[in-house]
């Protein structure tokens, strides 16, 4: 009986070990890094990129790599194969006389598959200026759009989401009429249950369509938050 118990315990332990997923890492990893830790440079300062290729975390040597170098989104100034005789190589990236970004892209073809990585050096990026002229009617165009939208009633609709509420916070999906009749803007409103005046935060989205969950933690701290989507569909649907 004792041996059976030990066997069962050992089997359970083995199954627990084998049930663990393998670590998440790439078989081949290309590492490209600029020689400045903050990735930024002054105008006319020389930049260089350090390149290492790892196989199962071990540096490879005596391999060929393909290097493409040049201003970001512009024609390359370097586009050629380079032989890595050692475990690391430094590529001279040159410089820029105007504020902008210099990108180094490295591709490795290994055992029938391609692996790519890149790094981008910024040359006084805070001084980058617009490359197109400000349209003469820009402000008037948007003012007309705002005036037209202001004529529409908000037609606010709020749906309580009980499963997201807490002891101190109510969470709602809110929708507003927007742009034209039938079009709506959706978002998640998190608001303290206790009556009073609170500061509020509007959270606008990045790219892509996805569900939103709001920020009830803000409301727990006494801050109303309204997180919106912009695609005219409910933000509580599954991904």
């Amino acid at each position: 009986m004792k041996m059976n118990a030990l066997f069962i315990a050992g089997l359970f332990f083995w199954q627990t070990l084998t049930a663990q997923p393998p670590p998440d890492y790439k078989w081949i990893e290309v590492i490209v890094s600029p020689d400045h830790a903050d990735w930024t440079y002054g105008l006319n300062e020389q930049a260089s990129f350090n390149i290492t290729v790892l196989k199962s975390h071990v540096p490879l040597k005596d391999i060929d790599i393909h290097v493409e170098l040049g201003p970001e989104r512009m024609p390359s100034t370097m586009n050629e194969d380079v032989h890595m005789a050692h475990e690391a190589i430094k590529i001279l990236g040159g410089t820029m006389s105007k504020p902008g970004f210099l990108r180094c892209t490295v591709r490795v073809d290994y055992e029938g598959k391609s692996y790519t990585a890149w790094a981008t050096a910024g040359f006084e990026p805070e001084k980058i200026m617009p490359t197109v002229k400000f349209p003469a009617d820009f402000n008037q165009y948007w003012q007309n759009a705002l005036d037209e939208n202001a004529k529409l009633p908000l037609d606010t609709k709020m749906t309580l989401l009980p499963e997201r509420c807490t002891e101190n916070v109510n969470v709602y999906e809110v929708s507003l009429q927007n742009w034209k009749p039938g079009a709506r803007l959706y978002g998640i409103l998190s608001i303290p249950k206790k009556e009073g005046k609170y500061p509020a935060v509007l959270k606008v989205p990045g790219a892509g369509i996805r569900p939103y969950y709001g920020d009830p933690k803000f409301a727990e701290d006494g801050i109303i938050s309204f997180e919106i989507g912009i695609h005219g569909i409910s933000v509580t649907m599954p991904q």
Side-chain angles (χ1 to χ4, degrees), residues 172-193:
Y172 300 86
E173 182 180 38
V174 176
S175 72
L176 312 170
Q177 189 167 237
N178 183 47
W179 180 42
K180 62 182 180 180
R184 302 190 69 82
L185 181 145
Y186 292 83
I188 301 296
L189 177 69
S190 302
I191 187 169
K193 290 182 178 180

Side-chain angles (χ1 to χ4, degrees), residues 189-207:
L189 177 69
S190 302
I191 187 169
K193 290 182 178 180
K194 185 178 178 180
E195 291 188 8
K197 292 185 177 181
Y198 300 95
V201 172
L202 173 65
K203 300 182 69 176
V204 296

Side-chain angles (χ1 to χ4, degrees), residues 137-151:
D137 63 345
F138 183 87
N139 289 329
Q140 188 59 52
Y141 174 87
W142 285 110
Q143 189 58 55
N144 291 342
L146 291 171
D147 292 343
E148 181 180 352
N149 213 49
K151 298 175 183 177

Side-chain angles (χ1 to χ4, degrees), residues 21-71:
D24 184 18
Y25 65 86
K26 295 180 180 179
W27 180 250
I28 299 294
E29 186 176 6
V30 183
I31 301 174
V32 186
S33 56
D35 60 343
H36 280 198
D38 63 358
W39 297 53
T40 59
Y41 298 78
L43 297 184
N44 300 310
E45 185 178 2
Q46 296 293 320
S48 61
F49 297 89
N50 299 307
I51 301 169
T52 306
V53 180
L54 305 178
K55 178 182 178 181
S56 296
H57 303 298
V58 177
L60 291 176
K61 60 181 179 179
D62 198 28
I63 61 171
D64 292 322
I65 62 175
H66 186 83
V67 179
E68 187 172 347
L69 181 70

